[in-house]
Amino acid sequence: QKEVEQNSGPLSVPEGAIASLNCTYSDRGSQSFFWYRQYSGKSPELIMSIYSNGDKEDGRFTAQLNKASQYVSLLIRDSQPSDSATYLCAVNMAGRWGLTGGGNKLTFGTGTQLKVEL
Amino acid sequence: SQTIHQWPATLVQPVGSPLSLECTVEGTSNPNLYWYRQAAGRGLQLLFYSVGIGQISSEVPQNLSASRPQDRQFILSSKKLLLSDSGFYLCAWSAVLGAEAFFGQGTRLTVV
């Protein structure tokens, strides 16, 4: 089982629709979760972070976290062609900050490619 | 505000040649610094991280090394490149170790 798993896609949605991106993780003790957007040929850009169960909204983006089920999702409302990119899920896989147990780094999924079609 | 600079943007190097990639951060002190590599179809793989000057931790054994000669400077090196070293190399920084990281522009390395 991969530590952080995402469907590679591509996920195609029409313009104006809601795009739903999902991520599951293996470490039940993980506390911090992040979504990055990566345009083709560019570096990842942080768009959302979430630490507690429930929803966190920022503009058109909503991150959802369910620690019991070990998944985190990203919803993009009113999807635009400019949202077309690969979305990376990142997890700090430790129960606390520190240099052991994976807390020293973010573990990334391989990303989901999103295509927003006109 | 904090900014991170990484260069060069692209690099084509022959097998067996040396490598030096440099990354600098501005606008913050004592950042945690990271080198990641992204290969096609794979997630970002952490290569090295550093919590301070001269302090380097390696995540995977490989043909590469890292150094941190100054607080906000991080260098990735190799004495002899292999074909398998090709990839997209990303430098990143974070204020807290293992927390949200911010990436530089990346270097696309092709070893031929």
Side-chain angles (χ1 to χ4, degrees), chain A residues 32 34 36 38 40-46 49 51 88 92 97-99 103-110, chain B residues 34 36 38 41-44 46 49 51 57 59 88 90 96-106 108:
Chain A
S32 307
F34 308 93
Y36 287 81
Q38 186 175 24
S40 180
K42 303 296 185 182
S43 61
E45 172 192 11
L46 179 69
S49 57
Y51 306 95
L88 304 175
N92 180 288
W97 303 122
L99 299 179
N104 57 339
K105 64 181 182 182
L106 295 179
T107 300
F108 285 81
T110 53
Chain B
Y34 310 83
Y36 283 88
Q38 187 174 38
R42 299 183 63 180
L44 286 161
L46 181 65
Y49 70 91
V51 300
S57 296
E59 284 291 302
F88 192 38
L90 292 154
V96 176
L97 188 65
E100 54 206 17
F102 301 92
F103 288 86
Q105 304 95 317
R108 179 82 54 191

Side-chain angles (χ1 to χ4, degrees), chain B residues 63-83:
Chain B
N63 184 42
L64 302 167
S65 62
S67 62
R68 185 170 176 174
Q70 300 181 44
D71 181 46
R72 289 169 286 178
Q73 183 185 28
F74 206 22
I75 297 172
L76 183 69
S77 304
S78 173
K79 292 183 179 179
K80 288 185 178 181
L81 285 169
L82 306 172
L83 286 174

